[in-house]
């Protein structure tokens, strides 16, 4: 394997690991009793400010589609992250990590419904496996409003917001570089969640001990992972990068076990296996296109 491929696969693998650890680090912040919206605000602001110099160099802040831009920001900077952080407080880091897989499903379904993209049999069965795994893992058997079940539901609905953002971002991406879009989304999300935090009586002040965690979550897991992802695509292509990225949940689960000290329960293992099989099929189908 030549140096170009080694660099590409290394960047893709590290990007996947950072994406998986994003949820673990955010869960750690919540365990440290940081209010959900406050944690989200600082995490996204850290990511936005780290990406800002890169976005300024890339340029392209010419928003020619105002209605799509507003919908994109509402979905990806307000709806998605707010529900994600509130839901993550109520569930475990492991389950939050595994729910990452639902974003690909929701993105594909919305792309099929609104943009008439091809939806193959393989994609359908992959989606069913992922959603079945999410339900199996989340359902407590008692009430929809038990902590884990409600938390997982809110996280999943948050991913519907991000899936909507993915599809609308594709339209905006025709004129605007991806890094510029992500930077603006992160800064707007940080400001909006900060305002929501204050409106709910939460404090934006955080103890110094969690600042490294905020930096690691926002600047490294969110910001650096994006840079590595695009570097990998330049070296090995979008298909191979996407396949390697599907390992993000594996790294996230390992992080939840070794960083958060969580124990894998039987229902989480079964649900996780169903979802991992589904995401593997999904990634394979995507790579064939």
């Amino acid at each position: 394997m030549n140096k170009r491929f080694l660099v590409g696969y290394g960047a893709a693998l590290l990007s996947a690991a950072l994406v998986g650890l994003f949820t673990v680090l955010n869960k750690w912040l919540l365990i440290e009793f940081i209010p959900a919206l406050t944690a989200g605000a600082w995490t996204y602001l850290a990511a936005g400010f780290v990406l800002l110099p890169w976005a300024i160099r890339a340029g392209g802040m010419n928003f020619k589609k105002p209605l799509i831009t507003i919908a994109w920001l509402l979905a990806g900077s307000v709806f998605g992250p707010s529900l994600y952080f509130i839901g993550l407080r109520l569930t475990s880091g492991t389950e939050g990590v595994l729910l990452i897989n639902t974003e690909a499903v929701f993105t594909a379904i919305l792309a099929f419904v609104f943009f008439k993209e091809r939806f193959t049999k393989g994609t359908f069965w992959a989606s069913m496996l992922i959603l079945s795994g999410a339900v199996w893992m989340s359902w407590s058997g008692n009430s929809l409003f038990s902590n884990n079940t409600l938390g997982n539901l809110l996280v999943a609905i948050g991913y519907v917001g991000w899936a909507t953002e993915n599809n609308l971002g594709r339209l905006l991406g025709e004129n605007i570089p991806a890094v510029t879009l992500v930077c603006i989304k992160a800064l707007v999300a940080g400001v909006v969640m900060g305002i929501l935090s204050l409106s709910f009586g939460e404090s934006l002040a955080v103890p110094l001990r969690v600042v490294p965690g905020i930096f690691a979550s926002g600047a490294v897991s969110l910001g650096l992972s994006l840079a590595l992802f695009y570097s990998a695509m330049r070296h090995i292509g979008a298909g191979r990068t996407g396949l390697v990225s599907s390992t993000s949940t594996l790294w996230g689960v390992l992080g939840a076990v070794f960083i958060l000290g969580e124990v894998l329960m039987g229902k989480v293992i079964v649900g996780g296996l169903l979802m991992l099989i589904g995401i593997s099929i999904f990634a394979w189908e995507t790579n064939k296109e």
Side-chain angles (χ1 to χ4, degrees):
M1 185 180 291
N2 61 37
K3 182 179 178 181
R4 182 179 180 85
F5 272 69
L6 284 173
V7 171
Y9 279 107
L13 195 60
L14 184 54
S15 174
L18 291 174
V19 169
L21 290 174
F22 178 68
T23 292
V24 175
L25 292 169
N26 289 331
K27 182 63 180 179
W28 177 80
L29 290 174
L30 298 174
I31 290 172
E32 291 294 311
F33 303 105
I34 306 302
L37 293 172
T38 298
W42 286 118
T43 294
Y44 272 90
L45 285 173
F49 281 118
V50 165
L51 291 172
L52 188 58
W54 187 15
I56 291 173
R57 285 197 300 271
M61 295 189 189
N62 51 340
F63 292 92
K64 300 178 180 179
K65 302 169 182 175
L67 292 179
I68 293 176
T69 300
I70 292 170
W72 171 74
L73 285 172
L74 286 174
S77 297
V78 181
F79 188 81
S82 297
L83 289 178
Y84 164 84
F85 272 92
I86 293 170
L88 189 59
R89 176 176 285 283
L90 300 174
T91 190
S92 69
T94 303
E95 293 180 38
V97 164
L98 291 172
L99 287 168
I100 292 172
N101 296 317
T102 61
E103 183 179 357
V105 174
F106 296 141
T107 299
I109 291 172
L110 290 173
F112 171 72
V113 172
F114 293 106
F115 297 100
K116 308 304 179 185
E117 282 196 4
R118 196 164 67 97
F119 198 77
T120 65
K121 288 182 179 179
T123 302
F124 171 79
W125 287 114
S127 300
M128 290 300 100
L129 281 168
I130 292 169
L131 293 178
S132 297
V135 172
W136 178 273
M137 176 184 69
S138 304
W139 185 247
S140 66
N142 297 316
S143 169
L144 178 64
F145 299 104
S146 65
N147 273 3
N148 273 43
T149 302
L150 179 59
N152 287 346
L153 180 61
L154 291 174
V155 170
I157 295 173
Y159 277 116
V160 173
W162 278 322
T164 304
E165 173 216 344
N166 292 341
N167 282 284
L168 295 177
R170 183 179 61 176
L171 299 177
L172 296 176
E174 295 170 359
N175 308 108
I176 305 169
V179 65
T180 303
L181 287 174
V182 175
C183 177
I184 292 171
K185 178 193 84 167
L187 290 174
V188 171
V191 171
V192 168
M193 283 194 284
I195 293 171
L196 288 174
S197 177
L198 291 173
S199 68
F200 283 110
E202 296 180 357
S203 172
L204 288 179
V206 296
L208 286 176
R209 71 176 186 278
V210 304
V211 172
I214 289 172
F215 181 82
S217 174
V220 180
S221 286
L222 193 57
L224 181 59
S225 67
L226 176 74
L228 289 167
F229 184 85
Y230 284 107
S231 174
M233 284 201 297
R234 287 196 301 271
H235 285 86
I236 60 175
R240 292 187 181 95
T241 302
L243 284 173
V244 176
S245 295
S246 66
T247 65
S248 61
T249 51
L250 169 63
W251 301 111
V253 169
L254 290 175
V257 171
F258 290 106
I259 296 175
L260 301 178
E262 294 185 358
V263 178
L264 293 177
M265 295 185 297
K267 70 169 188 174
V268 173
I269 294 174
V270 173
L273 286 174
L274 287 172
M275 297 175 80
L276 288 174
I277 293 169
I279 203 66
S280 298
I281 297 171
F282 187 85
W284 181 260
E285 285 291 309
T286 303
N287 192 46
K288 290 195 303 183
E289 294 178 0

